[in-house]
Amino acid sequence: MAQDNSPNKTITMNQRRSRTKFTEDQLKILIKAFDQNPYPGYATKQRLALEINTDESRIQIWFQNRRARHQCQKKSEPDEDLESSQDQDHSEEEIQSREDRRCRTSYTSSQLHTFIGAFMNNPYPGIDTREQLAKEIGIPESRVQIWFQNRRSRFHVQRKREPDDQDSEQRQDQEQDLWDERVQDNCFPNKLLGLFRPNKPTSCLCGSLDSRSTDTVPAHEQGRPCIS
DNA sequence: CCTAATCTCATCAGGACCATCCTGATGAGCGCATTAGG
């Protein structure tokens, strides 16, 4: 439901990356790697990316989705299919012997400045915007996506934690103003505003459902416990 | 309709300064996350 908005205004906003279509050969390699280790480290993901000629971030997403699907399968059919039995032993030791993570990226103040400006403009940038930013900053697009994820997440947490801190209140007021402008300009999907909008009347999501028809509210949004 | 892409939230962990904070990276998602492209 990527909101239509006005076609002219939101040309590059909120677009998804186009779907990757893996070939059979690529899938064979991925599945084999998954059976060996469903939690590959950065080096392994890089190697796989090279091997099947795709981006490391696509490998990461593939493993995430694969783990999720397997989790479902395992529960729906407890020990029916033994052919993919390998991952049943992956629990404890596998997790302990996890390979190395990607090295932590550190950003310069000017890179951060660019990030923050973009965030104020739109906290949910689409693929085009992210790629443009990545190019501008000189980092991979996947890092841009992670930065926005973390930023949004911490924005929520911060607002919950210090609702009456004066400095942050001022900052939030400024953010609120900018936010409202953007909302009026329809710069990002309406359905997400309820989740993210500064100074939402109630800190509880359930309290603001009245302004949105239930069928536009994602199920998890309705069902999730309120953290207040 | 399958599954890649995306989201939030919780947590781990590296690095800057000296026990703690900030923030990038990663994983789960339980009436088994949701959304949406092909």
Side-chain angles (χ1 to χ4, degrees), chain A residues 70-165:
Chain A
H70 261 226
Q71 215 55 27
C72 289
Q73 271 179 8
K74 255 196 274 179
K75 291 193 174 153
S76 62
E77 35 186 88
D79 41 19
E80 221 167 277
D81 77 317
L82 297 174
E83 36 149 356
S84 61
S85 60
Q86 281 208 311
D87 60 300
Q88 283 170 3
D89 306 321
H90 280 307
S91 46
E92 296 290 318
E93 328 105 48
E94 196 82 61
I95 288 164
Q96 295 209 337
S97 65
R98 268 183 203 172
E99 300 171 36
D100 284 345
R101 302 175 152 211
R102 168 199 292 272
C103 286
R104 196 185 159 93
T105 309
S106 56
Y107 298 112
T108 66
S109 54
S110 87
Q111 285 175 320
L112 283 174
H113 189 261
T114 307
F115 264 137
I116 290 165
F119 184 84
M120 298 303 286
N121 190 48
N122 179 8
Y124 294 91
I127 181 66
D128 287 347
T129 309
R130 293 200 307 268
E131 281 187 330
Q132 201 179 315
L133 263 172
K135 202 172 161 191
E136 194 178 334
I137 292 176
I139 55 162
E141 178 273 332
S142 62
R143 297 310 88 202
V144 175
Q145 188 158 24
I146 295 298
W147 187 90
F148 273 85
Q149 273 175 17
N150 281 324
R151 183 80 184 183
R152 285 195 301 266
S153 184
R154 272 145 200 164
F155 188 86
H156 287 143
V157 171
Q158 189 194 350
R159 286 192 56 80
K160 279 172 197 154
R161 198 183 299 161
E162 14 174 289
D164 42 22
D165 172 321

